[in-house]
């Protein structure tokens, strides 16, 4: 096992990784921007290095600065968290070259799965069902038109290099496609420096179901079941996740697990990863993309399986074999996570920054809070708007909902706009309570 690792991230995920390290006797190095001098991850780590000004591309995204900080402090490995450099294959490759272990998959696997068009192709070859669509990127408008006609409207245009909902547009007709194609390309070029797009069938009222994967560097791959992430904003940002999915039939769950493991094997995947699928109304599932990193919603799986995913990541990266076999994975009870962000639902989820005048956390049996904020903390305007993840774990879904409602009612989070009141409305919604949630739930059932 490593003696010392560097965490190339901030916020709640940096805190989460530091906590796992502390419990395992691993020394930690935090890196931070000038805007984060007194951030929680800096306080909790054994050492901290300032790597630049507030803007992420001059600090948290600076490969040279992060790698130098690791070299100077003698860190043997880097945990990238999520976001920032976590899915940057050049970063993983540079770490490899300077003999610092990247806690994640190989650069080749990151690159293959990071491009959605090539990931689709690879998964299709591996026999994993993919959403019907073009085999690769479309060259021009004509090819897009022909493909859309064959697939049947509505279709969704997606950037090959896409992520975070950028470069994604739905088209309901040929005219629509013409307009949206140009917009999607421009958006993709601006966000990723790559205007390549492909076309997929746009599924009506699907559910977003993802499978958590763990794979060691010795060829052992297992899955830890699903998370249902169908509660999303119009821009496809996840707001609430749960496991198990309230509607998944046992047979489908098993088939999804097998497909996810097969897909991960096909790319020689190791470490933690997530295979994302869409589940159609008629019960078919289709691979959508793979996230080659730990995810925001990983604690949902930790609560129902009792497996610490961060510790597993560290064990895998240090070369250990998985000690958990597929048949050992047990799922207990139901877990719901609310992502409380500094966003104003009344202003189209515009990000808010400012000082938290009061933060009282919820507690009690079955409640977990992953956060980095405290009273009198000023949320910097430069980064992700996630403030806290509140999780409720109980024997049944109905009990988990009641527990979450109780927890949210105890929480005081004042000083800036947050999604807390909005999450309370979701939990009180009768369709949500019945588990009737597809990815358009907020638009259809809550008018947002
Ligand atoms: P990103 O990586 O930008 O987040 P994804 O490919 O993961 O994009 O898709 C995000 C969300 O967009 C999905 O959870 C789903 O709600 C919606 N979506 C994506 N593809 C389709 C599709 N073919 N049909 C219907 N909805 C889709």
């Amino acid at each position: 096992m490593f003696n010392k690792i560097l965490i190339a991230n901030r916020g709640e995920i940096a805190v989460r990784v530091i906590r796992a390290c502390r419990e395992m006797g691993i020394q930690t190095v935090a890196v931070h921007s000038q805007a984060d001098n007194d951030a929680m991850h800096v306080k909790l780590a054994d050492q901290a290095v300032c790597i630049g000004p507030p803007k992420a591309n001059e600090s948290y995204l600076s490969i040279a600065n992060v790698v130098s900080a690791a070299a100077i402090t003698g860190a043997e490995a880097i945990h990238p968290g999520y976001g920032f450099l976590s899915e940057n294959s050049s970063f993983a490759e540079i770490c490899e070259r300077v003999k610092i272990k990247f806690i994640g998959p190989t650069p080749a696997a990151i690159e293959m799965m990071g491009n959605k068009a090539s990931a689709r192709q690879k998964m299709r070859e591996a026999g994993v069902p993919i959403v019907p669509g073009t085999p690769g990127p479309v060259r021009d408008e004509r090819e897009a038109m022909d493909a859309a006609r064959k697939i049947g409207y509505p279709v969704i245009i997606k950037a090959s290099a896409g992520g975070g909902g950028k470069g994604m547009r739905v088209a309901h007709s040929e005219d629509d496609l013409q307009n949206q194609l140009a917009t999607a390309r421009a958006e993709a070029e601006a966000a990723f420096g790559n205007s390549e797009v492909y076309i997929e069938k746009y599924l009506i009222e699907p559910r977003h179901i993802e499978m958590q994967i763990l794979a060691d560097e010795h060829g052992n791959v297992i899955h830890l079941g699903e998370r249902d992430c169908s509660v999303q904003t119009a821009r496809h940002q996840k707001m609430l996740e749960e496991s198990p999915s309230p509607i998944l039939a046992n047979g489908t769950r098993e088939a999804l697990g097998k497909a996810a493991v097969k897909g991960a094997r096909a790319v020689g995947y190791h470490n933690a990863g997530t295979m994302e699928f869409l589940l159609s109304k008629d019960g078919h599932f289709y691979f959508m993309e793979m996230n080659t990193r730990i995810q925001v919603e990983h604690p949902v799986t930790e609560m129902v399986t009792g497996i610490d995913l961060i510790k597993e990541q560290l064990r895998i990266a240090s070369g250990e074999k998985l000690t958990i076999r597929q048949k050992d994975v047990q799922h207990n009870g139901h877990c719901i996570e609310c992502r409380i962000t500094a966003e104003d639902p009344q202003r189209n989820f515009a990000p808010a920054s400012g000082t938290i005048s009061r933060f009282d956390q919820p507690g009690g049996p079955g409640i977990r809070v992953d956060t980095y904020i405290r009273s009198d903390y000023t949320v910097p305007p430069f980064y992700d708007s996630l403030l806290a993840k509140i999780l409720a774990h109980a024997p049944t879904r109905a009990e988990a909902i009641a527990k979450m409602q109780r927890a949210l009612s105890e929480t005081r989070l004042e000083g800036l706009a947050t999604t807390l009141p909005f999450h309370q409305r979701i939990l009180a919604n009768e369709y949500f309570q019945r588990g009737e949630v597809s990815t358009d739930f907020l638009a259809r059932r809550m008018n947002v």
Side-chain angles (χ1 to χ4, degrees):
M1 184 47 68
F2 308 114
N3 290 310
K4 190 194 261 193
I5 75 157
L6 180 142
I7 298 99
N9 217 299
R10 66 180 301 281
E12 68 84 21
I13 192 64
V15 170
R16 168 74 187 90
V17 176
I18 291 167
R19 284 180 171 150
C21 290
R22 178 69 43 89
E23 290 171 20
M24 293 173 87
I26 301 169
Q27 296 274 305
T28 51
V29 181
V31 290
H32 65 95
S33 73
Q34 286 160 351
D36 275 340
N37 288 340
D38 67 347
M40 178 87 87
H41 73 288
V42 174
K43 287 187 198 303
L44 291 182
D46 296 302
Q47 267 177 286
V49 182
C50 180
I51 52 165
K55 278 195 184 145
N57 54 10
E58 296 174 52
S59 51
Y60 295 106
L61 286 172
S62 164
I63 295 179
N65 296 8
V66 170
V67 173
S68 305
I72 292 165
T73 53
E76 297 143 71
I78 296 182
H79 194 299
Y82 52 71
F84 293 131
L85 296 170
S86 61
E87 289 178 287
N88 183 320
S89 58
S90 317
F91 176 58
E93 204 173 313
I94 289 168
C95 289
E96 212 168 69
R97 241 185 278 149
V98 298
K99 305 264 179 304
I100 293 172
K101 180 75 184 180
F102 175 79
I103 301 171
T106 59
I110 298 175
E111 200 173 330
M112 167 68 70
M113 300 314 265
N115 183 298
K116 291 189 188 191
S118 64
R120 266 168 68 79
Q121 260 164 11
K122 188 76 186 171
M123 289 304 106
R124 200 183 47 164
E125 283 161 25
V128 177
I130 59 172
V131 186
T134 55
V138 287
R139 257 168 304 166
D140 50 28
E141 202 177 283
R142 163 161 299 219
E143 205 177 300
M145 293 284 191
D146 289 346
R149 208 170 299 130
K150 270 193 216 124
I151 297 164
Y153 287 93
V155 296
I156 182 165
I157 309 159
K158 287 188 174 182
S160 303
K166 293 205 182 80
M168 214 157 68
R169 282 282 185 284
V170 180
H172 295 272
S173 64
E174 289 213 337
D175 281 353
D176 214 11
L177 181 66
Q178 256 170 335
N179 296 330
Q180 303 289 23
L181 192 64
T183 318
R185 275 201 200 282
E187 207 172 282
E189 179 65 42
F192 316 109
N194 176 352
S195 63
E196 226 176 66
V197 296
Y198 63 96
I199 293 178
E200 254 178 34
K201 174 93 191 143
Y202 184 66
L203 303 181
I204 304 300
E205 296 167 31
R207 297 185 82 113
H208 174 120
I209 308 272
E210 56 186 36
M211 304 301 290
Q212 176 68 51
I213 290 289
L214 274 182
D216 66 20
E217 298 180 2
H218 308 275
N220 302 301
V221 187
I222 60 170
H223 72 87
L224 304 185
E226 83 278 12
R227 294 183 289 260
D228 189 324
C229 313
S230 302
V231 179
Q232 306 179 345
T233 66
R235 276 173 289 154
H236 304 300
Q237 300 303 313
K238 297 168 186 167
M239 288 211 78
L240 177 151
E241 301 93 353
E242 59 185 312
S243 186
S245 165
I247 50 105
L248 208 57
N250 278 340
T252 315
R253 175 174 292 116
E254 217 169 281
L256 269 163
K258 283 200 175 121
V261 167
K262 191 156 69 171
R265 276 193 197 287
V267 285
Y269 198 84
H270 53 66
N271 218 286
T274 301
M275 296 275 283
E276 293 192 338
F277 295 89
L278 284 177
L279 184 73
S280 67
K281 278 209 287 195
D282 57 5
H284 291 100
F285 62 82
Y286 306 96
F287 169 80
M288 190 165 45
E289 67 162 344
M290 182 176 201
N291 290 316
T292 56
R293 53 169 163 81
I294 194 74
Q295 281 190 269
V296 174
E297 60 271 29
H298 76 273
V300 173
T301 300
E302 295 186 325
M303 299 288 269
V304 292
T305 62
I307 295 168
D308 186 316
L309 284 166
I310 305 292
K311 289 183 182 169
E312 289 303 324
Q313 285 195 291
L314 292 162
R315 291 189 189 110
I316 290 168
S318 74
E320 289 181 26
K321 277 192 181 153
L322 272 180
T323 53
I324 314 155
R325 284 156 304 173
Q326 189 64 62
K327 63 178 171 55
D328 301 333
V329 179
Q330 301 279 337
H331 299 268
N332 291 310
H334 197 98
C335 181
I336 299 176
E337 171 180 275
C338 288
R339 292 191 189 197
I340 311 298
T341 57
E343 288 174 342
D344 190 349
Q346 314 220 299
R347 293 177 48 233
N348 207 10
F349 296 93
S353 56
T355 299
I356 292 160
S357 52
R358 178 169 178 184
F359 180 40
D360 298 344
Q361 289 194 25
I367 296 297
R368 167 173 167 179
V369 183
D370 279 22
T371 187
Y372 72 107
I373 60 164
R374 54 189 189 269
S375 294
D376 295 326
Y377 174 74
T378 301
V379 180
F382 309 102
Y383 316 111
D384 191 272
S385 56
L386 182 64
L387 296 177
K389 305 185 299 203
I390 301 178
L391 294 108
H393 184 219
T396 64
R397 184 171 190 267
E399 288 165 288
I401 292 174
K403 198 179 270 292
M404 182 63 87
Q405 287 181 308
R406 188 270 294 163
L408 295 186
S409 73
E410 279 175 24
T411 310
R412 291 278 168 282
L413 183 41
E414 293 162 10
L416 74 179
T418 78
T419 55
L420 187 67
F422 190 70
H423 275 102
Q424 285 175 307
R425 284 181 51 211
I426 296 175
L427 287 153
N429 182 281
E430 55 180 310
Y431 292 94
F432 174 78
Q433 294 196 347
R434 289 204 296 266
E436 291 172 24
V437 177
S438 51
T439 56
D440 59 349
F441 163 77
L442 291 186
R444 212 148 65 101
R445 306 294 186 202
M446 296 191 59
N447 301 318
V448 283

